[in-house]
Amino acid sequence: MAALGWYMMSIEEQAGSNWYFELHKSIGIVVALLVVTRIAWRINHRPKTLPPTVPVWQTWLSKVTQTMLYLLMVLMPITGYLGASYSKTGVKLFGEETPRWTLPDHDLSEQLFGVHAVLIWVLIVLIGLHVVGALNHRFIRKDGVFQRMSFKRQR
């Protein structure tokens, strides 16, 4: 989504660019639904506690990072949807008009898209931090924390 977003912004003024914007919005709505599903699943499937060999600061950083990841997974589609809702083009879902909940407001739309743009950079940094942490546990510490992330049942 980030790559598509950056690409569509780079061709914003070109003919045919609207297709990319509509695709980004449509995929964003699907991602939002998947995030809701993931949160519902996560509420009922709590992870095992970290082993006592994991330093306290890493446990704290893990919790903060995961909380921020979930928060950003919620805020990204909300800010994008609201920004598009306040734009003059509105929101289409794979070509179908969605209800207009707002009147167009260019300034508010641009502010929301500005927040959306900042949030993607924060999300990318957090994803990178999460990946580095996971790889650290998998290849350096080899403490079983990485395996907790899989869907396989742990014994």
Side-chain angles (χ1 to χ4, degrees):
M1 285 296 288
L4 177 58
W6 291 323
Y7 178 71
M8 72 185 198
M9 293 307 295
S10 74
I11 62 165
E12 183 177 16
E13 302 300 323
Q14 295 179 18
S17 65
N18 280 350
W19 183 85
Y20 293 97
F21 282 84
E22 298 305 328
L23 179 63
H24 184 80
K25 293 173 194 177
S26 296
I27 294 172
I29 291 170
V30 171
V31 168
L33 294 172
L34 290 172
V35 167
V36 169
T37 303
R38 170 65 179 167
I39 291 170
W41 183 87
R42 183 63 157 176
I43 288 169
N44 294 310
H45 296 84
R46 292 282 181 198
K48 291 181 180 179
T49 57
L50 291 170
T53 57
V54 175
V56 172
W57 71 269
Q58 284 184 7
T59 301
W60 177 84
L61 186 60
S62 168
K63 288 178 184 177
V64 169
T65 302
Q66 288 179 24
T67 300
M68 291 296 297
L69 284 169
Y70 277 103
L71 183 62
L72 288 167
M73 286 190 294
V74 169
L75 290 175
M76 284 300 300
I78 288 173
T79 57
Y81 181 81
L82 288 174
S85 294
Y86 282 103
S87 73
K88 64 181 179 183
T89 57
V91 180
K92 290 182 182 177
L93 179 61
F94 296 107
E96 296 296 321
E97 290 285 337
T98 62
R100 288 257 358 176
W101 307 104
T102 64
L103 293 174
D105 183 333
H106 178 76
D107 292 339
L108 183 54
S109 176
E110 289 300 313
Q111 288 175 341
L112 288 161
F113 286 141
V115 171
H116 191 67
V118 169
L119 292 179
I120 191 58
W121 285 108
V122 176
L123 183 59
I124 287 170
V125 168
L126 286 174
I127 289 170
L129 183 61
H130 188 65
V131 168
V132 167
L135 294 175
N136 174 55
H137 286 287
R138 174 70 174 103
F139 296 110
I140 297 171
R141 296 182 62 93
K142 300 178 185 178
D143 56 6
V145 172
F146 182 85
Q147 287 73 9
R148 292 173 61 242
M149 297 179 210
S150 74
F151 288 108
K152 294 179 183 176
R153 290 236 178 239
Q154 301 295 313
R155 295 179 190 180

